[in-house]
């Protein structure tokens, strides 16, 4: 099921999230929780019990408030800096191992890109994003442009500054940008604050409906 927040604009750019949007969130959640627990122990000297409590806290947030829960925001709120988190995540988290080729995702992104530019905005590093996109089958080349954690510095999603990087790179006013992601508060609301529109999906299976809606908003040539 998709949820649409429409501002009445004709999209000139569509910005996609990656984790949980272009591949199922179930492939991500367990792995990232394990990595975060290990990071508390290794980098902060936390006891295993303390680390387990922090992981349980994040797991409950994911269960009850998925749309509002960013793992990046969680670790930053617990005293890690953004570069520390990215470096540790890249060294210990391999989401790509569980990702499979997805013809539906490839087809829907190609269908949309034939009509309007599409971008990817992800809190993954460039290398991780490239590996996941290659495994899905779309590759970086399947997007008009990709903005990763490496491009936004210390202000990743849900900070609207991450979306401003996309807007500046593409030279598009936020009022004509639509977001597509699986978490409203992380992937859609920041763009809405800048004047854009968006669609929340529950995963890749919802992409055909989301793409249909965006295509229906594109002004005829």
């Amino acid at each position: 099921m998709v949820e649409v927040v429409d501002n009445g604009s004709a999209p000139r750019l569509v910005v996609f999230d990656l984790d949980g949007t272009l591949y199922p969130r179930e492939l991500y959640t367990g792995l990232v929780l394990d990595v975060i627990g290990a990071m508390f122990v290794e980098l902060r000297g936390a006891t295993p019990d303390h680390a387990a409590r922090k992981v349980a806290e994040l797991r409950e947030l994911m269960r009850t408030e998925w749309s509002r829960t960013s793992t990046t925001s969680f670790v930053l709120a617990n005293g890690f800096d953004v570069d520390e988190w990215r470096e540790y995540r890249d060294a210990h988290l391999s989401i790509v191992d569980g990702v499979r080729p997805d013809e539906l995702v490839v087809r829907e992104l190609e269908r949309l890109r034939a009509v309007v530019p599409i971008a990817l905005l992800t809190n993954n590093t460039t290398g991780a994003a490239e590996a996941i996109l290659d495994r899905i089958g779309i590759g970086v080349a399947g997007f008009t442009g990709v903005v990763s954690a490496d491009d936004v510095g210390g202000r990743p999603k849900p900070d609207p500054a991450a979306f401003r990087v996309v807007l500046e790179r593409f030279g598009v006013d936020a009022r004509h940008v639509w977001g597509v992601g699986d978490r409203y508060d992380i992937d859609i609301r920041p763009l809405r604050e800048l004047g854009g529109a968006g669609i929340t999906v529950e995963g890749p299976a919802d992409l055909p409906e989301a793409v249909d809606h965006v295509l229906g908003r594109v002004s005829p040539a």
Side-chain angles (χ1 to χ4, degrees):
M1 183 181 69
V2 305
E3 295 182 7
V4 179
V5 180
D6 194 331
N7 66 355
S9 73
R12 296 178 187 169
L13 176 68
V14 182
V15 181
F16 284 87
D17 169 55
L18 177 56
D19 303 323
T21 300
L22 301 185
Y23 71 87
R25 68 183 65 162
E26 291 78 14
L27 300 180
Y28 173 79
T29 52
L31 292 174
V32 75
L33 287 168
D34 289 344
V35 167
I36 289 172
M39 187 172 67
F40 271 98
V41 173
E42 183 175 339
L43 299 188
R44 290 294 181 270
T47 65
D49 283 348
H50 176 78
R53 287 195 297 272
K54 299 308 293 186
V55 167
E57 178 185 342
L58 179 53
R59 180 180 288 110
E60 181 64 10
L61 288 172
M62 286 179 163
R63 185 185 72 81
T64 60
E65 301 182 44
W66 175 259
S67 184
R68 300 177 58 187
T69 303
S70 162
T71 53
T72 296
S73 295
F74 182 85
V75 297
L76 296 186
N78 278 276
F80 297 92
D81 67 54
V82 68
D83 290 332
E84 188 176 33
W85 165 231
R86 289 168 183 163
E87 182 179 342
Y88 194 87
R89 182 179 58 186
D90 264 10
H92 297 84
L93 180 60
S94 183
I95 298 169
V96 70
D97 292 343
V99 176
R100 297 290 179 266
D102 195 325
E103 293 181 0
L104 180 145
V105 171
V106 174
R107 181 180 68 247
E108 292 305 312
L109 293 179
E110 289 177 344
R111 184 162 70 100
L112 186 58
R113 189 180 176 185
V115 177
V116 63
I118 62 174
L120 182 76
L121 175 60
T122 175
N123 283 347
N124 285 288
T125 60
T126 299
E130 288 178 351
I132 293 169
L133 292 173
D134 285 345
R135 184 63 65 90
I136 292 170
I138 190 67
V140 169
F143 289 87
T144 313
V146 171
V147 175
S148 75
D150 301 318
D151 302 305
V152 302
R155 304 184 71 178
K157 293 188 295 183
D159 195 317
F163 288 87
R164 289 193 183 97
V165 173
V166 178
L167 301 177
E168 291 171 3
R169 182 169 296 188
F170 282 85
V172 180
D173 190 287
R175 291 174 297 175
H176 298 286
V177 178
W178 283 62
V180 178
D182 68 312
R183 293 173 296 179
Y184 175 81
D185 288 291
I186 311 300
D187 305 315
I188 308 302
R189 183 176 56 79
L191 181 58
R192 287 285 298 143
E193 291 176 359
L194 298 174
I199 301 175
T200 305
V201 299
E202 293 186 0
D206 287 340
L207 288 181
E209 185 178 352
V211 169
D212 282 345
H213 188 89
V214 173
L215 290 176
R217 301 294 295 126
V218 176
S219 297

